[in-house]
Amino acid sequence: MDSVRLPGLLLLFFFRYSTVVAAAGIGGTRNGDQEWRSATATYAIGTATATGAGQAGACGLGTLSDSGYGFNSVGVSSALFERGSACGGCFELRCVDHILWCLNGSPSLVVTATDFCAPNYGLPGDYGGWCNYPREHFEMSESAFLHIAKATADVIPVQYRRVECHRKGGMRFTMTGKSYFYQVLITNVGSDGEVAAVKVKGSRTGWIPMGRNWGQNWQCDADLRGQPLSFEVTSGRGRTTTSYNVAPWNWQFGQTFEGKQFLP
């Protein structure tokens, strides 16, 4: 009798436990700050930013100070980069469990993913191949690194979690492309900082879905010249905001326009 009833009791326990876990948000949630996770971090000597001043990096964000991201930028390993979907995302980092390298009190710092830390499979993951899959690793700018660890530190153990991005001003749309190939770079994104989907609309078109070209550059095959443009942007957390008539009818390639921002 007991051997027959036991599986049913186990299933009932599992169902109730799963319900409690889901309700409590154990393990983190994309709708708020996640739980702390373990990773490692290094920094590139002599760099003000993770990608270097004026360089676009794998996210294509251009000069970071002009894009609204400042100097607290990082390159992330492929396990975190997610083929570019993590571009613009915000992470809170803190150095932990190393009395010689971590700053007193383990202060935390919010950084933005602006580049890809490429793997080096010629080296082991614990000796040089810090960004090898499936390692979770942050290649920090020197200025950002020194907010959480000492300059004499090497590879430091860190904890990280995804957090909301607090940006000044609205999202920025930079027009690129040529003729029937239209591309827009979207920067200074609030919410979680990620862009998951984009649509563009001209005064003579309906809403046109765009595809990710690379990083935060989105494209479509359409000639949108000579008409005002509106954008619908969806964040990684599924929030959507629409900026109507951001670009005037006489916009030119290379120009940048400011739209709406995700509200806190």
Side-chain angles (χ1 to χ4, degrees), residues 39-43 94-107 126-127 130 135 137 140 142 144-158:
T40 53
T42 51
Y43 75 96
R94 63 186 182 188
C95 180
V96 296
D97 301 329
H98 206 297
I99 193 171
L100 296 179
W101 288 346
C102 298
L103 296 183
N104 291 335
S106 293
D126 58 352
Y127 190 77
W130 314 118
R135 291 182 60 94
H137 183 81
M140 305 179 69
E142 183 175 6
F145 187 88
L146 295 179
H147 278 84
I148 63 172
K150 300 176 182 178
T152 54
D154 191 356
V155 182
I156 61 171
V158 298

Side-chain angles (χ1 to χ4, degrees), residues 171-176 182-185 199-204 207 224-232 242-260:
M171 279 184 280
R172 298 170 189 167
F173 301 87
T174 301
M175 314 296 165
T176 60
Y182 176 75
Q183 183 172 275
V184 61
L185 168 63
K199 293 180 181 179
V200 62
K201 181 183 183 303
S203 59
R204 300 192 298 270
W207 286 103
L224 299 174
R225 293 173 296 177
Q227 51 189 312
L229 301 182
S230 303
F231 295 93
E232 180 185 281
T242 304
S243 300
Y244 291 100
N245 299 321
V246 172
W249 69 271
N250 58 346
W251 63 267
Q252 300 292 319
F253 291 115
Q255 290 182 313
T256 299
F257 303 94
E258 186 170 311
K260 293 177 62 177

